[in-house]
């Protein structure tokens, strides 16, 4: 990347919100520290109230490398952790990484290059799900297939270009400070909301398939169901927060939940023809799991339909049951986008 030795690469702060991440934290931090990047770097880990060995592992990492620091996040909430880490960091480029995300070796170097080439305020890439056992392999296959997540480019790939939001993100610090960081009311979907404000202020969000983060899926059906229920719940909050953000991809899971429930009721109470709808859905995920599971062990392939159904039904149920009161609370906390010229005028005044 740095072909001209006289050009000094910008220093980078990597921020990590962590909670109960003993399984993956060390590997995630090691992947950061091993980056093929010649610029200065620091890692700031925001520690939530974990119930496992996360804090102990973080302390070991701090003792092993002076580039690693920690800050407390007593709430345990992701947006509060991100803001705490941003405030404790000091470099002009801010890289968000989760405690179960593994950066590809040239991730930071590529992101810094893309920020310079595109003029974007934030760049991000692909959430590349990878499992470590049969169940996680099944979930990873579901999360990277179009039958699982539709045409979401940060899951399945796509052409580089402007985007509404990106996975995680590599930011210019000035953009984060200009917008006042993350909105702490967005327990989920905080990335979308921040990127929305950046775009409203005239900034560019850029997706590139060159950027890849390996993601470790949830380790059980119950954990996956909770994750996707929360996704659906908060996607409905986003839809109420910004009416223009909804599209057919987001409506598919709640529509499927309603159609399947109605089909089962009709089939049980009126006519067996009602079972055509749930039967058709079952056939679709069984057929869709065949190409999704290509190359996986048999036990993993057999679990892909379970992962798909868990994702779809949990997301749809979360969307349908998302309370209006939650959206009202979040809307009340709405922060107007701050343009750079307006900020400059306020400072001058």
């Amino acid at each position: 990347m740095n072909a001209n030795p006289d050009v000094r690469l910008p220093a980078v702060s990597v921020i990590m919100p962590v909670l109960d991440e003993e399984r993956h934290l060390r590997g995630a931090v090691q992947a950061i520290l091993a980056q093929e990047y010649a610029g200065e770097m620091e890692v700031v880990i925001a520690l939530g109230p974990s119930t496992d060995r996360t804090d102990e592992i973080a302390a070991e990492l701090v003792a092993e490398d002076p580039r690693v620091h920690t800050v407390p996040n007593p709430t345990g909430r992701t947006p509060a952790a991100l803001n705490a880490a941003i405030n404790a960091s000091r470099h002009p480029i801010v890289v968000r990484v989760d405690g179960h995300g593994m950066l590809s070796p040239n991730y930071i170097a590529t992101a810094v290059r893309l920020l310079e080439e595109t003029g974007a305020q934030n760049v991000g890439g692909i959430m590349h799900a990878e499992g470590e056992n049969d169940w996680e392999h099944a979930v990873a296959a579901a999360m990277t297939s179009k039958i699982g997540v539709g045409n979401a480019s940060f899951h399945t790939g796509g052409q580089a270009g402007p985007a509404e939001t990106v996975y995680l993100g590599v930011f210019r610090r000035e953009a984060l400070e200009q917008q006042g960081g993350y909105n702490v009311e967005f327990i989920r979907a905080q990335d979308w909301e921040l990127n929305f404000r950046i775009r409203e202020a005239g900034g560019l969000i850029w997706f590139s398939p060159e950027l890849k983060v390996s993601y470790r899926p949830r380790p059980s059906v119950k954990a996956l169901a909770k994750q996707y229920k929360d996704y659906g719940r908060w996607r409905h909050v986003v839809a109420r927060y910004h009416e223009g953000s909804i599209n057919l991809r987001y409506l598919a899971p709640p529509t499927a939940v309603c159609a399947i429930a109605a089909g089962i009721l009709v089939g049980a109470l009126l006519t067996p023809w009602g079972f055509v709808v749930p039967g058709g859905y079952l056939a679709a995920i069984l057929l869709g799991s065949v190409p999704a599971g290509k190359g996986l062990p048999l036990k993993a392939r057999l679990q892909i339909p379970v992962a798909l159904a868990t994702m779809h039904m949990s997301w749809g149920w979360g969307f349908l049951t998302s309370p209006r009161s939650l959206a009202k609370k979040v809307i009340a906390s709405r922060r107007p986008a701050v343009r750079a010229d307006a900020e400059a005028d306020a400072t001058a005044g």
Side-chain angles (χ1 to χ4, degrees):
M1 156 155 183
N2 192 20
N4 184 349
D6 295 326
V7 177
R8 186 175 181 181
L9 292 171
V12 169
S13 296
V14 182
I15 60 172
M16 299 184 73
V18 299
L19 180 69
D20 293 329
E21 290 286 3
E22 69 172 1
R23 188 177 168 198
H24 300 300
L25 179 59
R26 175 170 287 278
V29 172
Q30 288 175 339
I32 295 166
L33 298 176
Q35 284 290 295
E36 298 169 359
Y37 187 69
E40 186 181 352
M41 183 167 57
E42 66 174 351
V43 182
V44 182
I45 304 171
L47 295 170
S50 295
T51 57
D52 60 10
R53 294 184 57 253
T54 296
D55 287 8
E56 181 182 336
I57 294 167
E60 292 171 358
L61 292 166
V62 170
E64 293 165 8
D65 196 305
R67 293 174 292 176
V68 182
H69 314 281
T70 61
V71 292
N73 173 36
T75 70
R77 294 181 172 183
T78 300
L82 291 166
N83 286 343
I86 291 167
N87 291 336
S89 66
R90 55 197 174 90
H91 294 321
I93 304 297
V94 179
V95 180
R96 176 183 170 177
V97 182
D98 284 340
H100 47 271
M102 310 292 166
L103 300 186
S104 52
N106 63 346
Y107 181 88
I108 291 177
T110 302
V112 171
R113 171 176 60 79
L114 288 171
L115 284 172
E116 182 180 346
E117 290 177 354
T118 65
Q121 301 299 305
N122 181 21
V123 299
I126 295 174
M127 177 183 180
H128 184 66
E130 293 182 330
E132 296 181 330
N133 54 45
D134 288 329
W135 165 250
E136 291 180 5
H137 286 314
V139 177
M143 291 181 69
T144 53
S145 67
K146 291 195 174 181
I147 192 172
V149 295
N151 61 351
S153 58
F154 67 85
H155 281 295
T156 60
Q159 295 295 316
E164 282 192 353
T165 190
V166 290
Y167 179 56
L168 300 178
V170 178
F171 298 83
R172 299 179 189 272
R173 175 178 292 277
E174 61 199 36
L176 294 172
E177 292 180 345
Q178 182 179 307
Q179 299 305 327
Y182 290 84
N183 184 334
V184 295
E185 295 297 338
F186 272 82
I187 309 305
R188 297 286 185 273
Q190 64 274 156
D191 300 290
W192 181 92
E193 192 276 337
L194 175 60
N195 286 319
F196 173 70
R197 281 186 281 134
I198 291 173
R199 288 187 292 108
E200 254 194 338
L204 174 66
I205 310 300
W206 188 265
F207 166 81
S208 173
E210 290 184 76
L211 298 171
K212 183 182 290 187
V213 180
S214 294
Y215 168 87
R216 300 294 185 251
R218 295 297 193 269
S220 66
V221 173
K222 181 179 178 181
L224 182 68
K226 182 181 185 305
Q227 178 188 19
Y228 271 78
K229 180 185 175 184
D230 287 345
Y231 282 170
R233 176 186 177 98
W234 281 90
R235 185 62 232 190
H236 205 162
V237 171
V238 167
R240 287 165 169 158
Y241 181 91
H242 178 48
E243 294 179 358
S245 69
I246 201 68
N247 60 42
L248 292 177
R249 178 166 69 89
Y250 297 124
L251 294 176
T255 300
V257 169
C258 291
I260 290 169
I264 291 172
L265 282 174
V266 169
L269 300 177
L270 299 176
T271 170
W273 285 104
F275 292 115
V276 168
V277 175
Y281 172 76
L282 179 60
I285 62 173
L286 288 173
L287 289 172
S289 68
V290 174
K294 188 176 180 180
L296 292 179
L298 178 61
K299 282 186 68 176
R301 295 203 304 270
L302 292 175
Q303 294 181 81
I304 293 174
V306 178
L308 288 170
T310 301
M311 290 161 56
H312 295 160
M313 297 299 102
S314 300
W315 203 105
W317 180 250
F319 189 94
L320 291 168
T321 58
S322 181
R324 285 188 174 273
S325 58
L326 179 59
K328 287 179 179 178
K329 180 181 179 183
V330 167
I331 290 169
S333 73
R334 187 192 296 265
R335 298 180 183 178
V338 179
R339 299 186 69 91
D341 50 1
E343 189 178 51
D345 290 345
T347 303

